[in-house]
Amino acid sequence: MNRNNTILRAFGEVWNVSKSLFCWNYALTLAQGITNAVPIIALQVFMDQIAAVSGNNTDWWMVIAALLLFLSMKTISHVIKGVTDYNYEYYDLKVSHAVTYKTNRKVSLLAPLFFEEKENLDSVEKGYAGTRQVRRVVDTTMMILLYYIPEVLVIAYYLYQANPFLPFIIPIIFIAIIAVERIQEKYYSNLEAATANLTRKIEVYGDYVSDLKHYKETAMLGLQPYFSDKVQQCLQDRSRVRWECFCKSNKLELLEKAVTLLGHILVLGLLFLCVLNGGTTVGVFAALITSIDSLFEMIDGLVGELSSGFTEIMGKVKNYLAIQDMPRQNQNTSTVETLESISFDRVSFCYPNQTTPALHNISLTINKGEHIAVVGENGAGKSTLVKLLSGIYEPTRDML
């Protein structure tokens, strides 16, 4: 599954939860982007009119209007941010509930034998981890399109007014970001694959140490130290894999910050030369000086979101979508009639990827009203026999 397809499918998942909340949430995001961009224009107009005082050409109504626009946009921006934060949390809970429920339904429809393979259990574990990240893919994408781009376009326009070369510095920085982000996405995708099995082992071993349903048995057999050691070993292995991944990722992030800093220095240097040469107005210069820090803070924030957030969650969302694409089990809707007996006649069963059958040539008859006990050591096939009797599994070989 390619990257663009993953993003489009994530949008579909979030859109289907609530179309009205989707539109309202991202309308607020766009409003935030606009209220962040308009003050830059208002400040430029205000400073240009103030600078014209010495020439007695000042339009004081324009000065007042620009000042009021600047202040009102700042106030509205804070109000919209508060409403957006509240709406974000509410919408996030609804999306999380919906995609988790959908995953539960999907997993419940998978064939029982699916859960007998370790790789499949790892896939389910990774799929559930991805349910918490579907909304983040959509939110990050919409933040870039609706929140960051309006302000970037306004700043780019003023940079072009000062010097036609200046706006091209921003794409160069983003090209470096995208290149690094693609590499980091591969790192985090591999990290998910490497740690899913360890995470599942930690949960299982942890249950044997602390869960009440296992505590009595492990305490009687003296197995608690054994399972505690297993938990510690798996935690250490998972920490080591994560540490190796984070080290590689942080080296790339350091390179990103160096590129951002170089771009910042270059923009300020060229702006200074433009002022000395009279290539820009006082208003444009003031607007750029006050917004250039905001621009590079925004770039740093975007870099952080892409490197430590977006790149990591893309792999998790792919795992979630992989679960949704798995074939469902054919559901048997027939009604079971009252039976007088259940019979096995030389029935055998072998688990997937195993060469030794769990049951071989089993023959038995259980009459209605009978009570029987199935006794045997661990691994003898007791649970397999019960699952065959109840129809959860089907014989892999019937030797009639």
Side-chain angles (χ1 to χ4, degrees), residues 382-394:
K382 302 184 298 296
S383 298
T384 304
L385 177 63
V386 172
K387 290 174 181 177
L388 284 167
L389 286 169
S390 59
I392 296 175
Y393 291 167
E394 294 185 0

Side-chain angles (χ1 to χ4, degrees), residues 327-356:
R328 57 183 289 177
Q329 178 189 16
N330 292 327
Q331 298 296 298
N332 187 356
T333 58
S334 60
T335 303
V336 178
E337 299 178 358
T338 302
L339 301 176
E340 295 300 323
S341 66
I342 300 175
S343 296
F344 274 12
D345 188 4
R346 292 176 292 174
V347 170
S348 298
F349 181 83
C350 186
Y351 283 97
N353 301 321
Q354 299 293 322
T355 57
T356 303

Side-chain angles (χ1 to χ4, degrees), residues 207 210-216:
D207 284 345
S210 58
D211 198 294
L212 289 177
K213 65 181 180 181
H214 299 300
Y215 183 83
K216 182 177 179 180

Side-chain angles (χ1 to χ4, degrees), residues 25-66:
N25 186 76
Y26 294 114
L28 289 173
T29 302
L30 177 60
Q32 278 190 294
I34 293 172
T35 54
N36 286 338
V38 171
I40 300 173
I41 302 172
L43 181 61
Q44 177 260 317
V45 174
F46 177 76
M47 293 302 296
D48 277 343
Q49 292 299 321
I50 291 296
V53 169
S54 59
N56 296 319
N57 295 321
T58 303
D59 185 345
W60 288 105
W61 287 112
M62 184 66 75
V63 172
I64 295 172

Side-chain angles (χ1 to χ4, degrees), residues 103-239:
T103 303
N104 289 340
R105 289 285 300 165
K106 182 67 180 185
V107 171
S108 70
L109 296 175
L110 296 174
L113 279 176
F114 174 89
F115 300 98
E116 298 296 339
E117 299 186 55
K118 181 180 73 65
E119 293 78 8
N120 292 339
L121 292 175
D122 291 345
S123 297
V124 171
E125 180 74 28
K126 291 187 288 185
Y128 273 107
T131 60
R132 297 184 289 272
Q133 309 301 332
V134 175
R135 168 73 194 284
R136 287 191 61 191
V137 168
V138 177
D139 200 60
T140 300
T141 304
M142 296 298 276
M143 284 287 288
I144 294 171
L145 295 175
L146 304 178
Y147 182 82
Y148 291 122
I149 286 183
E151 186 172 353
V152 169
L153 289 177
V154 172
I155 295 174
Y157 170 77
Y158 282 122
L159 287 172
Y160 182 82
Q161 293 292 317
N163 187 313
F165 173 74
L166 284 174
F168 295 100
I169 296 176
I170 299 174
I172 292 173
I173 295 173
F174 274 96
I175 288 172
I177 291 172
I178 292 171
V180 172
E181 180 261 340
R182 288 297 178 90
I183 299 173
Q184 287 182 313
E185 181 180 348
K186 183 178 179 181
Y187 287 164
Y188 284 113
S189 181
N190 292 338
L191 176 64
E192 279 298 304
T195 58
N197 185 41
L198 290 171
T199 299
R200 189 167 57 83
K201 285 182 177 180
I202 290 169
E203 292 177 355
V204 173
Y205 292 145
D207 284 345
Y208 280 107
V209 173
S210 58
D211 198 294
L212 289 177
K213 65 181 180 181
H214 299 300
Y215 183 83
K216 182 177 179 180
E217 183 179 359
T218 54
M220 289 177 59
L221 298 176
L223 293 176
Q224 286 187 321
Y226 170 80
F227 286 115
S228 295
D229 291 341
K230 286 289 187 181
V231 171
Q232 291 297 322
Q233 184 61 51
C234 289
L235 286 171
Q236 291 174 6
D237 291 343
R238 188 175 66 175
S239 297

